[in-house]
Structure formats: C-alpha cells, structure tokens
C-alpha cells in the first residue's frame, strides 16, 4: 500500500520490499559478564529470534552487523576515548567477541556487515547490499533490531531514513543500556524517523 494510504500511519509494510537488520548481537554485547554487556539485549533475545525466524519464513532478507576493533591500531579512536576499557579488550577482530550469538546464528547465505562506527552505513557496503539484495532497488523498508538502542541502532535508523528507507524500529527487540535512554530513542524515532512497534504488532502486519 502506498505512503499515506491509512490516516493513522504514514505507510504500511510491504514484505516484498523489506529487509531485516540485526545490529551487533554479538557475544561481547550479549553474554553475561561480557565487556560491553547489555542485559536488555539478552532480555529481548527471544523477540529478536522470533523476528528472524518469521522473516526467514516470509523470504525477508536478514542482514547482520558486527562491531569490530583491532589490536594493531585504533580504528575507532574517539569511541575508545569515551570507553577506555576498549583500549585493550573487547570486540576484537578474530575473537569470539565479534561472533553473532548462537541463538541468532546467521545462515550460510546471510550477510554479516563488519563495521567500525555506530552507524552501520558508514564506510560499509550495507547500502549497496540493501539496494540489490532483493533485485535492483527492491528494498524500500528496513526493520531495525539489536543493540544498543540509543547508539548503534538509533544511528543506523537515522542513517537509513536519510537514505530514503522506511524505518521500522522494534520497541521490544532493541536492547538499551537503561530504560530512560531506550525510551528516549523510541520517542525520537516515532516522532520523525520511522514507525515504532512491538514484535507482536510487527509480525501481525506481515499478514
């Protein structure tokens, strides 16, 4: 259905033109005691798994991102400056910390975008993948799930909007560091950048 077809929402989801992005659901963010542990990401893991499985059944491409740092040089020096513990450990290339958690393990054909900034579009091939994964310009809508809500997830959602993708931000499938920042992002996205909905509503709209 075209934009503005229903007065209560700006646009409806067309599953034939949609892709799912799973942001940074890697061991160093999700596992208990991990260096960048986000308990809310672990709490919402069952919802993310349900969305992934539903998308696979509906033929919606699933794309993963993984945030990667290096021992040899600071590929993201300002990030490390704000998080000094990352100077020596965490999200290191070649370690299990950058692997997607087993519960959401990518299938062999599913893409993992390795990134060095919060925004998954920045200096990666994510946009190229989205523009072609369902045929030439076949994707016009992206579903954002993962962690951290107000950092990598919000940054990527905003960047998708700037590239004229319709954004679906799943309220109970994005894990934040705390409830207040999580809620603030949901409010911001809902106001100007995309549609915010819970897992049940998203799957129901798939039809």
């Amino acid at each position: 259905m075209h934009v503005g077809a229903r007065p209560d929402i700006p646009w409806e989801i067309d599953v034939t033109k949609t892709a799912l992005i799973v942001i940074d659901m890697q061991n160093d963010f999700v596992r208990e005691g991990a260096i960048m542990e986000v308990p809310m990401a672990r709490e919402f893991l069952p919802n993310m798994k349900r969305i992934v499985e539903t998308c696979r059944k509906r033929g919606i491409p699933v794309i993963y991102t993984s945030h990667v740092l290096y021992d040899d040089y600071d590929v993201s020096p300002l990030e490390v400056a704000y998080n000094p513990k990352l100077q020596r450990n965490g999200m290191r290339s070649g370690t299990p910390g950058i692997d997607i958690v087993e519960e959401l393990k990518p299938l062999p054909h599913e893409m993992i975008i390795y990134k060095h900034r919060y925004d998954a579009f920045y200096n990666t091939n994510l946009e190229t993948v989205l523009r072609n994964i369902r045929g030439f310009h076949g994707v016009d809508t992206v579903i954002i799930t993962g962690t951290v809500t107000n950092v990598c997830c919000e940054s990527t959602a905003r960047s998708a909007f700037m590239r004229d993708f319709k954004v679906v931000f799943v309220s109970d499938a994005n894990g934040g560091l705390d409830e207040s920042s999580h809620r603030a992002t949901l409010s911001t996205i809902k106001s100007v950048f995309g549609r915010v909905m819970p897992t049940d509503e998203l799957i129901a709209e798939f039809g």
Side-chain angles (χ1 to χ4, degrees):
M1 193 171 288
H2 60 80
V3 173
R6 282 177 49 185
D8 55 325
I9 60 172
W11 42 263
E12 293 186 46
I13 299 170
D14 182 345
V15 295
T16 69
K17 297 181 179 180
T18 297
L20 170 66
I21 305 176
V22 182
I23 304 286
D24 297 356
M25 287 298 288
Q26 57 205 80
N27 291 318
D28 271 350
F29 282 108
V30 180
R31 293 307 177 205
E32 189 170 358
I35 188 169
M36 297 295 288
E37 181 185 4
V38 184
M40 193 186 296
R42 195 164 54 248
E43 174 189 348
F44 288 155
L45 188 52
N47 291 336
M48 297 182 207
K49 183 177 181 180
R50 186 177 165 211
I51 293 169
V52 166
E53 291 174 347
T54 302
C55 285
R56 287 170 176 166
K57 290 176 183 176
R58 296 301 302 268
I60 296 171
V62 181
I63 301 166
Y64 295 83
T65 75
S66 178
H67 200 74
V68 180
L69 302 177
Y70 301 122
D71 282 330
D72 295 337
Y73 71 102
D74 286 339
V75 69
S76 187
L78 290 178
E79 176 184 6
V80 173
Y82 284 105
N83 293 279
K85 60 186 175 182
L86 295 176
Q87 289 176 352
R88 292 183 174 83
N89 298 291
M91 301 181 289
R92 286 312 197 268
S93 177
T95 71
I98 69 168
D99 292 342
I100 307 301
V101 294
E102 186 66 25
E103 294 90 334
L104 300 175
K105 185 177 180 179
L107 298 178
H109 70 280
E110 291 173 339
M111 299 212 47
I112 304 174
I113 306 293
Y114 295 100
K115 65 186 183 68
H116 312 298
R117 294 293 186 276
Y118 302 139
D119 173 6
F121 285 92
Y122 185 80
N123 277 348
T124 73
N125 63 345
L126 177 57
E127 183 171 4
T128 299
V129 170
L130 287 171
R131 298 291 185 197
N132 296 282
I133 198 167
R134 303 199 74 161
F136 184 56
H137 286 193
V139 171
D140 70 4
T141 303
V142 294
I143 301 167
I144 303 291
T145 64
T147 198
V148 175
T149 303
N150 67 315
V151 187
C152 294
C153 299
E154 181 175 346
S155 296
T156 301
R158 287 171 177 251
S159 195
F161 172 86
M162 301 303 178
R163 290 167 169 81
D164 293 322
F165 288 104
K166 302 170 189 174
V167 174
V168 178
F169 203 91
V170 189
S171 58
D172 57 0
N174 281 273
L177 293 168
D178 55 74
E179 190 67 24
S180 61
S181 64
H182 177 77
R183 291 293 173 189
T185 288
L186 299 184
S187 178
T188 299
I189 297 295
K190 184 178 180 179
S191 296
V192 290
F193 291 111
R195 292 184 60 192
V196 174
M197 61 181 72
T199 298
D200 286 345
E201 184 180 338
L202 170 67
I203 291 175
E205 190 160 328
F206 285 171

